[in-house]
Amino acid sequence: MAFASDAPKDGFRLSMLIYDTRYRSYTIQIVVLVLFAMAVAWLLNNTAQNLAARGKEFNFDFLWQRAGYDIGQQLIPYSNDDTHFRALLVGLVNTLVVAFWGCVFATILGVIIGVLRLSNNWLIGRLMTVYVEVFRNVPLLLWILLSYVILSETTPQPRDFRVTDEMIAAGEEPKASMILFDTVAVTNRGTNIPAPLFDRSLGSIQIGFLPVSLNLLAFIAVIIASVWANRRLLAHAKAVQEATGDRPVTWWKSLLILFGPVIALKFALGLHLEIPELKGFNFQGGILVAHSFTALLIALSLYTAAFIAEIVRAGILAISRGQTEAAFALGLRPNRTMSLIILPQALRVIIPPLISQYLNLTKNTSLGIAVSYLDLRGTLGGITLNQTGRELECMLLMMLIYLSISLIISALMNLYNRTVQLKAR
Amino acid sequence: MSETHAQTVTYVRDSMLPPAPPPVGERGAVKWLRENLFSSPLNIALTVLGVLIVWWLVSASLPWWLNSVWNASSLGQCREIVAASAGEGATGACWAMVRERWHQFIFGFYPPSEWWRPVLAFGLLFAALAPVLFAGQKRNLTLILGGVLAYLVVTLYLAGAPGVAFALSLLLVAGLLVVAQVAPGRLLWFTLIFPALCFWLLWGGSIWSPIVAMAGFGVLYAVFRFGSPFIGLAPAAGAGVVAAALWWLYIDHAIADRLQAALPFAIEAVRSDLFGGFLLAIVIGVTGIAFSLPIGILLALGRQSDMLIVKTLSVGFIEFIRGVPLITLLFTASLLLQYFLPPGTNFDIILRVIILVTFFAAAYLAEVIRGGLAALPRGQYEAADALGLDYWRAQRLIILPQALKISIPSIVSTFIGLFKDTTLVAFVGLMDPLKGVTQIVRADINWKGIYWEPYIFVGAIFFVICFGMSRYSMYLERKLKTDHR
């Protein structure tokens, strides 16, 4: 009896590169690599030729030249005598600020709407559905343009706020008035909000390019210290409870520890708010927030909130009804059921898509160009690019920065995600 | 005994009582109100809040809607009409702007005498989509094609199409209707030639250039078909691609020019910078959607691949595209491509934008489809291997149908995102309906200061299209659902 033994061992034939699975993947990979290398070489060659034809060179020296343009919103000191690099930094900070506050507001709003959409109340449920559908199905650009136009064309002029003696005598009201207990004035030039001022300021120190306010640092340090002290207090109370069975009263100590030092620091530094006031033709004092920032922030928050609401709703729906019932059977109250049973499980479903929404929001801040908000796109990719004519360098640098921001955000959020994920054993 | 017993039982009911109606609080509208609006103190508070919101919205906007003005030549005149009819200080919408400028929102600066061409292309788009969206469903196909026929009769007449074009296009759709009755599967052929037809209708020029360009695919297929018995499948496919590329690069133009000289047949050519409004948005959106799906699938498969180099390249491409905003890619299209391409190359800005938008959407789709691939149980892959299917057959018959089904909702939301993102082309100087056209309208001295009306008009059209897409995805999900839960 002859059994077929091993496959006949042929010599190597060229066709085996394609038909033999042992070699095929190598063949494909080498072909792909060669094609890719050729494409890259072709692009680089073209670029070199084009640069030579235009008489340009590829370097980043222009970043150290004088920028010569002004930026309306600057959170780090900048004047038009500074370099393009400094302008880039100002733009980057502007991008990050609007992205940060956008994420905060969108999350708050999105969670509220997502939970309300699940409520038993028919009317509220429908209203929230309408909100989500309307905001999801209309381009973000429309919301940005619309909020900007509404802010800058329907708001009163500063002089409409004026109260003259004749008006008081005639008992007339001014055409416009400030909102939020007379602290915020919305005019067609911008929004004037109160500024925090310190009577006994600690000053600021320079870290790298950025001046950092010591006052702010002091507040952050005190708050962190109080939270830590409060945790120690609660841990101590728990230890006593476990040893003796009686839990010492802690609520007033907690309050004292949490708020006492902050209030003391406020008085020590003499923190007070400077309220904007109408002087002459414009509001003086306080901080003037440009409408481009406000409009961008409002539009980004409202738009992204609709997506976050859907994510939150899906996350809560993904937790089976049995979890709630089991919690009730254990005698947990509804709010503890939510915080101890539902939310920790729902977060696992919610976090990954939430990360991509944050990334989307950050990238969408580049639409600020529609309302002339000078973010990274507006400074480096806009005015600097046009002034220096270095398209290649500016665009590559800008892409690199956006890419790094995206990667950093997703790395941070993935880190957080790992802490809430199910620990598989 | 029995008698006494009979006497003790004084009364036995021998018929059922008719059921009593439920109490007032447990039926009808009252029950619904109690359950849905007033079940608990919190619920009552929410209801009050909801009523307040609705009241505020209605009281603020209803007079504005009711006082709409449709006939006026400027915003000032609108305001006068509103003040005359509803009293001083009343607000009213000025839809007269839409009435006067609707054509810019729809066509941009496309020449009015040629409006019938985009109108026809739009109708035929549905005829081409129908066999894909409702494969083999005779009733739906007939319904859609009938709708297209009716739409074309009305709109082509309104747009003043030349008689020949009118007759030919109606004949075409009527022919498709007949095909739908006889052999619905054959309709796909129309879908295949539609891109060339649409390109020719929109941009115009000689009819021979799209035909000769399409012939390139014929060359590819012919080389593949006749080469494969001699040199094997994969080399034949490669040779086909090379032959087609050579065709497009070197032979295409010469043949098209000769044919045009021999048999001249052309319609007026329209330059790309005249495109605008929803015409532009739909051209970019539909092309991007059509091409991004196959590229996205390939990228997703590449990312899941065992081959290190293919995987690395796919991951690099996907992560790079997803990491940067679309605007920067659009600027790359408008500013940087002139550096990357051979000196002297200059091709159409709309085409450049479409390419970049397609890549952008493809990277997002790749991630979505990768999710679907990952959600598939390992056993499906192993079963495909056990059946002896090779890689592409396994993907085509087993893996992708299931993976794509899982990811339908996310795929469609990516498409919706792409369609909304077509508005961003305004930043590279194209005239999108939102920023481009609206800015032109708002810059007109007659309509200066108008803002709600153009944005509501454009937003409503976007809403209808995007909402329609999301509803279709729900329909598709229900139709493809094979589990019985």
Side-chain angles (χ1 to χ4, degrees), chain A residues 193-415:
Chain A
I193 59 169
L197 282 190
F198 297 91
D199 289 336
R200 293 171 285 279
S201 176
L202 296 173
S204 62
I205 51 167
Q206 195 83 10
I207 301 179
F209 300 101
L210 303 172
V212 178
S213 159
L214 281 177
N215 301 318
L216 190 67
L217 285 184
F219 269 102
I220 292 174
V222 165
I223 288 172
I224 291 177
S226 328
V227 170
W228 179 78
N230 186 43
R231 280 197 170 182
R232 290 299 306 271
L233 175 75
L234 292 182
H236 171 73
K238 195 171 182 188
V240 171
Q241 181 181 20
E242 275 171 7
T244 64
D246 286 325
R247 189 178 174 87
V249 179
T250 55
W251 64 267
W252 61 270
K253 289 183 201 158
S254 275
L255 279 182
L256 205 64
I257 292 177
L258 281 179
F259 293 102
V262 176
I263 295 172
L265 185 67
K266 175 193 175 311
F267 282 108
L269 294 178
L271 171 69
H272 61 92
L273 289 178
E274 188 194 25
I275 311 278
E277 264 183 277
L278 186 64
K279 280 181 189 157
F281 292 105
N282 221 337
F283 277 90
Q284 305 285 327
I287 301 172
L288 177 69
V289 182
H291 281 324
S292 53
F293 175 82
T294 322
L296 191 59
L297 186 59
I298 291 176
L300 280 173
S301 313
L302 292 179
Y303 180 79
T304 314
F307 290 87
I308 293 183
E310 280 301 273
I311 292 170
V312 169
R313 188 175 79 107
I316 294 177
L317 282 180
I319 308 307
S320 74
R321 181 97 191 106
Q323 297 289 327
T324 321
E325 285 163 359
F328 286 158
L330 287 174
L332 291 177
R333 277 169 276 130
N335 55 350
R336 303 210 102 197
T337 307
M338 197 60 176
S339 63
L340 294 176
I341 308 290
I342 307 287
L343 270 188
Q345 298 187 71
L347 272 184
R348 267 173 222 148
V349 187
I350 291 173
I351 295 290
L354 195 64
I355 300 175
S356 65
Q357 283 310 321
Y358 286 166
L359 288 175
N360 281 346
L361 191 148
T362 311
K363 284 180 283 172
N364 282 337
T365 56
S366 58
L367 293 189
I369 180 186
V371 289
S372 313
Y373 180 67
L374 284 183
D375 60 348
L376 184 62
R377 165 74 196 76
T379 56
L380 175 67
I383 305 178
T384 296
L385 186 150
N386 287 334
Q387 279 192 0
T388 58
R390 301 298 191 91
E391 293 103 346
L392 202 58
E393 292 91 335
C394 286
M395 295 298 296
L396 289 181
L397 190 60
M398 189 166 77
M399 284 186 177
L400 202 67
I401 294 175
Y402 274 118
L403 204 56
S404 329
I405 298 176
S406 296
L407 291 180
I408 290 172
I409 293 178
S410 77
L412 287 180
M413 291 300 288
N414 280 328
L415 212 64

Side-chain angles (χ1 to χ4, degrees), chain A residues 97-109:
Chain A
V97 164
V98 84
F100 174 79
W101 287 112
C103 287
V104 171
F105 289 134
T107 310
I108 296 173
L109 204 58

Side-chain angles (χ1 to χ4, degrees), chain A residues 139-176:
Chain A
L140 169 63
L141 188 59
L142 186 144
W143 301 118
I144 295 178
L145 291 172
L146 189 62
S147 14
Y148 183 70
V149 168
I150 290 177
L151 277 176
S152 54
E153 295 196 12
T154 63
T155 44
Q157 295 179 331
R159 67 156 184 256
D160 291 340
F161 288 82
R162 179 165 309 138
V163 188
T164 53
D165 293 338
E166 297 98 72
M167 287 169 77
I168 295 172
E172 277 178 34
E173 291 283 311
K175 278 193 213 154

